[in-house]
Structures are given as C-alpha cells and as structure tokens.
Amino acid sequence: MTEIPDPTRGRPAGVLLAGIDRRAKEGFTGVLRADGPVSGIVVLREGKVVAAATPEAPGPEPLLLRSGRVAEADWTAAFAEGAPHGRLAEALVAHGALGALGVEVVAATALADAVFALALRGVQTCVAAPLDAAETGPLLFLDPGLAADDVVREAQRRLAMAAEWQERGLTSTAVPASAAAGSATDPLLAAVNGRRNVRGLAFALGRGLFATMRSLADLMDAGAVTVSAEPGQAGPPTSQDAPHEPAPPEGLPKRLRGASDVIRVLPFRPDR
C-alpha cells in the first residue's frame, strides 16, 4: 500500500482529490481509503471512478428508501437476492423497483456526494490498496465508471460553493432552525427542528448532502432558516449509513445494458 502525501500544503480537501487524479492516471484498479475527521472509500477500475462511500453522506439505501422512491418491501427483496453476490442493481431492476437508468442515476449521485462530503470535511491520509473481494464496500457501482477529471472538477465546483456557505455558518455539522413559519409544501423546512444537523437532515429526507446544503442556503437567503454551530443529531444509526454492505465477490459487477448514457449528464452537469 502507498500513502499519498498532501501536495496542497494545508488544504485537506486536496489529499483526496490529488489521490484520485494520481491513481486514475496510473490506470489503477482498487480502493482509496480516505481518513480524517470522517472516513470513506473511493473505488477505481482501470483508472475510472466507479463508486465512493462514506458515513458522512447518504448512500443508495437512504437515497432510495427515505425519499420514498423505492418501497421498503421491494428494497428488502432486492437486497437479499442481489447484495450478497454484488448484483443489487440487477435485482432492483428485476423486482421493478427501479429502471436501469434510475439505478445508474442513484449510483452516480451517491458517488459524487460521497467524494464531496469527504473532501469537505478534509482528508488527512489517502491510502491505495488492491480491491479485496472479502471487504465491505458500496452497494452500487458504475460501469465503465466516471472520468477522474470529471469527478475532481465537480468536487471542486461543489467545494467552492460550500466555502461561501461555510462563511455564513452553514456546514455539515451546523444545526438549522426555522426563523419563520414553515411551509407544509417544503419537506426540508418542515424537517428543520433545531435539533438535527445538516447531515442528519440529509439522511432523514434521503437527499444528498450537497443538495441539502444548497437548499438550506436558499432558505437562509429567504430568511426562513438560521444556523447554529452547536452539535445536533448525528443522523440515523451507523448500520444505516456506513459503507458496510458486501462488495462483489468476483471483482466489480457488470453494468446494466442501456444505462450508460446517464454518465454523460449526471451528476456532473452544473446544478441550476
């Protein structure tokens, strides 16, 4: 294993992004283990980024279940059938829970959000290791994967936006509170209770961390929300959010036919 030094001199986000860029140029297949205030992994195959996971950002399970996009019964059946064999994507499609394109959208969204979340909190070390078939890992993978340049560029774009929010006190650990009567039509504002932190809100609603922060910034602009630096609820139990599910036993799973076009447009197009 090789530890990737920080080439950015005091900019913790650069450790992870530099590691992704370096290993992609080497055509690396394996795992980057990121450690810092929070931990996580980024999985590459032949230089392409195919998955990422961290307890700091919702993965496919909360994104699908807590948002109500997939029924719990459908998820449970698909998970039991496909996850132990690295075929959860195929099982979700077979059970009619999602289409092939929908599965890939969720996988791409979770990947981008995990990289953003890790870089946002800061990575102190990034260690490259071969893919271990017996280790735990993300639930869904992209194939052929995303270009590292696109992943890094999107993370940098999100970090630049988040830097402005952080100057206003909006971080992943900040605790939003309603400053005015909430609208029943706004699920995020309705979930703001002065106890959950931003990360906890993302998990509770099944939304990406970045999307949650951006929406909260809009609510702050509208005078509907204020934020406090006091710690809030940490979110759902660790078993819900940690990247604990079994990795494919024979390398990374094959992609679903007809689903790859989404890689060109999601999640790396500018959000408007």
Side-chain angles (χ1 to χ4, degrees):
M1 297 189 297
T2 303
E3 184 170 316
I4 303 170
D6 181 5
T8 59
R9 293 186 182 181
R11 294 170 54 197
V15 179
L16 176 65
L17 302 186
I20 293 173
D21 180 68
R22 173 183 170 183
R23 293 301 175 177
K25 289 177 179 176
E26 296 173 354
F28 176 69
T29 294
V31 178
L32 296 181
R33 305 185 192 282
D35 286 301
V38 296
S39 62
I41 61 173
V42 178
V43 185
L44 290 88
R45 180 171 56 195
E46 297 179 354
K48 296 284 189 179
V49 184
V50 296
T54 172
E56 186 70 4
E61 183 174 357
L63 289 176
L64 292 174
L65 281 180
R66 294 178 179 269
S67 66
R69 187 172 181 184
V70 171
E72 186 171 356
D74 291 336
W75 171 269
T76 300
F79 186 90
E81 177 183 313
H85 311 291
R87 299 188 180 91
L88 178 59
E90 289 89 339
L92 285 168
V93 174
H95 282 268
L98 285 175
L101 184 62
V103 170
E104 196 149 344
V105 168
V106 171
T109 299
L111 186 163
D113 205 48
V115 172
F116 163 72
L118 283 167
L120 181 68
R121 293 298 301 274
V123 172
Q124 295 168 350
T125 60
C126 188
V127 178
L131 184 65
D132 183 351
E135 74 175 322
T136 58
L139 281 170
L140 297 175
F141 293 80
L142 288 168
D143 190 347
L146 298 167
D149 287 348
D150 289 337
V151 174
V152 170
R153 188 180 303 113
E154 175 63 11
Q156 290 171 332
R157 182 185 75 87
R158 295 184 179 197
L159 290 169
M161 296 177 67
E164 298 180 4
W165 303 334
Q166 288 176 313
E167 291 179 357
R168 302 165 59 189
L170 179 58
T171 67
S172 63
T173 58
V175 181
S178 297
S183 169
T185 62
D186 188 333
L188 177 57
L189 190 55
V192 170
N193 58 13
R195 297 188 302 275
R196 289 191 182 100
N197 62 19
V198 174
R199 172 185 172 276
L201 286 167
F203 275 94
L205 297 174
R207 300 182 60 174
L209 179 66
F210 174 76
T212 301
M213 293 181 71
R214 184 179 58 184
S215 295
L216 286 168
D218 291 340
L219 290 171
M220 291 174 68
D221 289 340
V225 164
T226 60
V227 294
S228 166
E230 292 298 320
Q233 293 180 1
T238 302
S239 62
Q240 290 283 340
D241 55 33
H244 65 284
E245 294 81 7
E250 299 177 356
L252 304 183
K254 296 180 180 180
R255 74 173 179 87
L256 298 174
R257 293 183 180 275
S260 60
D261 285 349
V262 70
I263 293 177
R264 295 198 292 265
V265 296
L266 289 172
F268 303 103
R269 62 184 179 187
D271 295 310
R272 302 298 183 187

